[in-house]
Amino acid sequence: LTTVTIDDVAELADVSIKTVSRVLNNEPNVRAATREKVLAAVKQLEYRPSQSARSLAGSRSFLLCHFYDNPSPAYLLDVELGASSICREAGYHLIVERLDGSDPTLAASIGATVTALRLDGVILTPPISDNTAVLDILERNDTPYVRFAPYMVRNRGASVAMDDRRAAYEMTGLLIGLGHRRIGFIKGHPDHGASDVRLQGHLEALRDQGISVREDWIKQGYFSFDSGVAAAESLLTAAERPSAIFATNDDMAMGVVTVGHRLGLDLPDQLSIVGFDDTPGASYVWPRLTTVRQPVTQMAAAATQMLISGEATRSKWPAGKAPARLLDFEIVVRDSARSPDAASAGRRRD
Amino acid sequence: LTTVTIDDVAELADVSIKTVSRVLNNEPNVRAATREKVLAAVKQLEYRPSQSARSLAGSRSFLLCHFYDNPSPAYLLDVELGASSICREAGYHLIVERLDGSDPTLAASIGATVTALRLDGVILTPPISDNTAVLDILERNDTPYVRFAPYMVRNRGASVAMDDRRAAYEMTGLLIGLGHRRIGFIKGHPDHGASDVRLQGHLEALRDQGISVREDWIKQGYFSFDSGVAAAESLLTAAERPSAIFATNDDMAMGVVTVGHRLGLDLPDQLSIVGFDDTPGASYVWPRLTTVRQPVTQMAAAATQMLISGEATRSKWPAGKAPARLLDFEIVVRDSARSPDAASAGRRRD
DNA sequence: CTGAAAGCGCTTACAG
DNA sequence: CTGAAAGCGCTTACAG
């Protein structure tokens, strides 16, 4: 088993290796007939250029990397789904590295990977997307990056996002439209920038509808099922409890559902619950969750495209302004939110 | 920003580049004092050897790849969790590539990646782990691989697995031990080797307990929620229905739970349901699922270790026999399986 | 224990 | 439109 090299192709096609290189890199100034000859030889020999040699000699490695810390499983899968397909089309490959966001050597570790691999670009998801030490080291190494949902640290580098604020605004509006006035809210993990943005959207919707904010109905959560359970317990065992709860991710919403059942509440009649993310489990619980679907796969595809096309490269930014792509979310209406009036019509409350 | 090379280190340490290379690769025959000098220079310059140069000049690329097709999100996350940590320790990097298992060009596509990147090893998860065309092309390229749960095609290459047969045997035994005699079974996707193995374990348990097999209580599923719903509908609307259903993954089990609720069955009293996988959702549904926890993270760590250490390399197999690691599963007992007697004691049936 | 030379398979910069 | 030469940053094979 000998590896086929550019020399073999050049010899078979009866041209120089430089011409083979031109054809493979789609450079101009090659006669059509010459191109055909080369392509035929490539095909016949099943030639695949060595990534190492290309990287060492040239300026590209054809390697992208996704650095992440403890994402939800579905989020990771969607990111890879979007990134992997774009990579394949362009002859790039996706490396993944899981890191501990609280590790003080995080940035150094990313710097090591970036220089060892000569990465052509980096994808950063929350909460690493808001880690300024990481952004610093990436910029020092001249490595393009795209940040997902870059809410805590703004105006730094290319990004992809959806409008979390508006999604939360509309979800709260949906509950209000159903007739809810007493709405509980469970915040996300404080390390994630989206957490605060979603809260802001919620508060705006309340204000726009003239509903006063009840601080005691806003609970801290951490995006985990257990934190949803804890918040729901405190919300639902209080003297006066909300008629609806907006949990800012599905895992927490499912915690609320569990507590609701445990307390013997008739869901959704006695308590409406809405989530955020549309994880697979959202349609498995009863009642099936009304939630926000994030365009994670499309965000990943867009990010990858920005990296490969060079849009994410600082020196190519139009007017020095980093590109930011905003994608559409979707509110998926299922069974977990209902009008509180319907409930009182169907049964006595208290 | 100039990149630091081995020459810079050699100059600062006042040795030849060959000596630097020796130190970095832990080769013998370097005086301790020399080693110290080199290490100090490496540290001072923050030198990181170029992966491309090492790969081009040497025989290793320090690159591993996980090829997969439509895994469950949690499965993918666990594989990456296990593989990523071992890779980092050893200075390797993990590439991921999502492919369509039914695409006829699948093997060719993997072959292309393998040769372009000079991959040092490959991780294959079901159903790709049983694709013989892929195994052929990997062997032709002399690329070591480790297969996950390689049940359909046996005795080909290194593998990691847990004892799916015994897990299914024990789970069925648990149901029988609870007093169930009428047990429905939902098979997995026919493309996954584990599907048949789990069925065999189930049938053995039935036979060992002297319970005759009811073919009409064995339904085809495809590992999806919807296929679980379909199978459950057919199982539960029949004239005579089982008192327990063993769905061979959690997604299908959650489909059964949903149908159970829809039919107004009191769960788990009127119907016990058990699953397989222990996905996050398993503890979110009500009743919380009794299920089998697979050691996916440990399997991935073991596979990665086999690849990096060389155990998975054909020429190094002891006595020509491929290494196979079997890891322990765990049956997680929650609330979804209960004795049918308790149910009849608590309420009249029919 | 250490080093000088050659070469891995490409792209770059230059020449024609 | 095409090619000869040099070089990317390492490891291999060999010499001492």
Side-chain angles (χ1 to χ4, degrees):
Chain A
L1 156 99
T2 53
T3 66
V4 178
T5 72
I6 197 172
D7 295 278
D8 301 321
V9 177
E11 189 176 347
L12 181 61
D14 198 30
V15 296
S16 73
I17 62 167
K18 175 62 221 185
T19 295
V20 175
S21 175
R22 282 199 180 88
V23 172
L24 261 29
N25 290 295
N26 286 312
E27 289 174 29
N29 299 332
V30 180
R31 247 194 313 174
T34 311
R35 182 177 301 275
E36 294 309 315
K37 267 199 310 186
V38 171
L39 258 15
V42 165
K43 185 159 192 182
Q44 184 182 331
L45 297 173
E46 291 188 352
Y47 169 65
R48 307 283 167 194
S50 151
Q51 179 272 148
S52 301
R54 298 183 85 178
S55 174
L56 183 57
S59 54
R60 295 179 299 174
S61 66
F62 301 94
L63 258 24
L64 263 32
C65 186
H66 175 210
F67 292 103
Y68 62 86
D69 168 33
N70 196 29
S72 86
Y75 198 90
L76 179 71
L77 181 61
D78 283 347
V79 169
E80 292 191 13
L81 183 55
S84 191
S85 68
I86 303 291
C87 277
R88 182 176 10 269
E89 286 170 16
Y92 277 68
H93 296 279
L94 180 69
I95 292 181
V96 294
E97 205 139 299
R98 187 197 176 112
L99 302 157
D100 176 3
S102 64
D103 185 341
T105 67
L106 173 68
S109 168
I110 288 182
T113 298
V114 160
T115 58
L117 259 29
R118 276 206 191 204
L119 258 25
D120 284 346
V122 162
I123 291 175
L124 264 17
T125 45
I128 297 184
S129 41
D130 282 316
N131 186 314
T132 53
V134 170
L135 304 184
D136 288 342
I137 214 154
L138 254 18
E139 287 170 21
R140 201 176 321 141
N141 280 288
D142 248 354
T143 303
Y145 58 79
V146 178
R147 301 163 62 205
F148 272 55
Y151 295 127
M152 301 194 79
V153 177
R154 292 175 184 271
N155 302 321
R156 268 198 76 170
S159 65
V160 292
M162 56 156 259
D163 195 338
D164 279 89
R165 195 203 54 75
R166 223 190 80 211
Y169 183 93
E170 289 190 10
M171 189 57 107
T172 300
L174 180 150
L175 291 173
I176 296 172
L178 247 22
H180 291 279
R181 292 296 174 273
R182 300 175 292 127
I183 303 176
F185 185 89
I186 307 179
K187 296 191 281 186
H189 197 292
D191 283 357
H192 289 243
S195 298
D196 191 54
V197 175
R198 291 176 194 171
L199 174 61
Q200 295 313 322
H202 172 68
L203 295 177
E204 273 180 54
L206 252 29
R207 194 182 50 224
D208 287 0
Q209 301 290 330
I211 299 177
S212 56
V213 175
R214 288 272 302 251
E215 292 290 350
D216 55 327
W217 282 346
I218 299 178
K219 299 292 178 188
Q220 183 66 60
Y222 299 90
F223 283 151
S224 68
F225 179 80
D226 290 344
S227 72
V229 167
E233 278 170 350
S234 127
L235 241 18
L236 296 175
T237 58
E240 192 185 6
R241 61 172 161 81
S243 65
I245 294 180
F246 180 4
T248 52
N249 87 344
D250 286 351
D251 284 359
M252 297 194 297
M254 292 194 262
V256 180
V257 168
T258 295
V259 173
H261 283 140
R262 196 152 67 205
L263 295 177
L265 295 177
D266 211 345
L267 307 182
D269 286 337
Q270 292 182 288
L271 177 70
S272 284
I273 301 164
V274 296
F276 209 107
D277 280 352
D278 195 23
T279 57
S283 28
Y284 299 170
V285 288
W286 183 259
R288 298 180 310 145
L289 241 41
T290 288
T291 185
V292 178
R293 182 177 299 155
Q294 296 201 57
V296 178
T297 303
Q298 294 89 320
M299 286 163 72
T304 307
Q305 198 69 66
M306 288 165 84
L307 256 9
I308 293 177
S309 68
E311 289 171 79
T313 306
R314 186 166 297 262
S315 59
K316 296 185 188 171
W317 292 350
K321 202 171 153 299
R325 189 102 93 243
L326 198 67
L327 293 156
D328 283 336
F329 62 85
E330 179 188 350
I331 293 193
V332 183
V333 177
R334 295 207 182 90
D335 315 305
S336 65
R338 187 172 297 183
S339 163
D341 302 330
S344 45
R347 83 186 59 241
R348 291 263 69 83
R349 211 185 285 144
D350 297 25
Chain B
L1 156 98
T2 53
T3 66
V4 178
T5 72
I6 197 171
D7 295 279
D8 302 320
V9 177
E11 189 175 348
L12 181 61
D14 198 30
V15 296
S16 72
I17 63 167
K18 176 62 222 186
T19 295
V20 176
S21 175
R22 281 197 181 90
V23 172
L24 261 29
N25 291 294
N26 286 312
E27 289 176 28
N29 300 334
V30 180
R31 249 194 313 173
T34 310
R35 181 179 301 275
E36 294 309 316
K37 268 198 310 185
V38 171
L39 257 15
V42 165
K43 187 161 190 179
Q44 184 181 329
L45 298 173
E46 292 188 350
Y47 169 64
R48 308 282 169 194
S50 151
Q51 180 271 148
S52 300
R54 297 183 85 177
S55 174
L56 183 57
S59 53
R60 294 179 301 174
S61 67
F62 300 93
L63 258 24
L64 263 33
C65 186
H66 175 210
F67 292 103
Y68 62 86
D69 167 34
N70 194 30
S72 86
Y75 198 92
L76 179 72
L77 181 62
D78 283 346
V79 169
E80 292 190 14
L81 183 55
S84 190
S85 68
I86 302 291
C87 277
R88 179 170 21 264
E89 286 171 18
Y92 278 68
H93 295 280
L94 180 69
I95 292 180
V96 293
E97 204 138 300
R98 187 197 176 109
L99 301 157
D100 176 2
S102 63
D103 185 341
T105 68
L106 173 68
S109 167
I110 289 182
T113 298
V114 160
T115 58
L117 258 28
R118 273 207 194 206
L119 258 23
D120 284 347
V122 161
I123 291 174
L124 264 18
T125 44
I128 297 185
S129 41
D130 282 315
N131 185 314
T132 54
V134 171
L135 304 184
D136 288 342
I137 214 154
L138 254 17
E139 288 171 20
R140 203 175 321 141
N141 280 288
D142 246 353
T143 303
Y145 58 81
V146 178
R147 303 162 61 202
F148 272 55
Y151 294 128
M152 300 193 79
V153 177
R154 293 175 183 271
N155 303 321
R156 269 198 76 172
S159 65
V160 292
M162 55 157 259
D163 195 337
D164 278 89
R165 194 202 56 74
R166 224 190 78 211
Y169 183 93
E170 289 190 10
M171 189 58 107
T172 299
L174 180 150
L175 255 16
I176 296 172
L178 246 23
H180 291 279
R181 293 295 175 272
R182 299 175 291 126
I183 304 174
F185 186 88
I186 306 179
K187 296 191 281 187
H189 197 293
D191 283 355
H192 288 243
S195 298
D196 190 55
V197 175
R198 290 177 193 170
L199 174 61
Q200 295 314 321
H202 172 68
L203 294 177
E204 273 180 53
L206 251 30
R207 194 183 47 224
D208 287 0
Q209 301 290 332
I211 298 177
S212 56
V213 175
R214 288 274 301 250
E215 292 291 350
D216 54 328
W217 282 346
I218 298 177
K219 298 292 178 187
Q220 183 66 59
Y222 299 91
F223 283 150
S224 68
F225 179 81
D226 290 344
S227 71
V229 167
E233 278 170 349
S234 126
L235 242 16
L236 296 174
T237 58
E240 192 185 7
R241 61 174 161 80
S243 65
I245 294 181
F246 181 3
T248 52
N249 87 344
D250 286 353
D251 284 358
M252 296 194 297
M254 291 194 263
V256 179
V257 168
T258 295
V259 172
H261 283 138
R262 196 152 69 206
L263 295 178
L265 295 177
D266 210 345
L267 307 182
D269 286 336
Q270 292 181 289
L271 178 69
S272 285
I273 300 166
V274 295
F276 209 109
D277 280 351
D278 195 24
T279 57
S283 27
Y284 299 170
V285 288
W286 185 260
R288 298 180 310 146
L289 240 42
T290 288
T291 185
V292 177
R293 181 178 299 153
Q294 296 202 55
V296 178
T297 303
Q298 293 90 320
M299 285 163 73
T304 307
Q305 199 68 68
M306 288 164 83
L307 255 10
I308 293 177
S309 69
E311 290 171 80
T313 307
R314 186 165 296 262
S315 59
K316 296 183 186 171
W317 291 351
K321 202 171 152 298
R325 190 103 93 242
L326 197 66
L327 293 156
D328 282 337
F329 61 87
E330 180 189 348
I331 292 193
V332 183
V333 176
R334 295 207 183 89
D335 315 305
S336 66
R338 187 171 296 182
S339 162
D341 303 331
S344 42
R347 85 186 58 243
R348 292 264 69 86
R349 209 184 288 144
D350 296 24

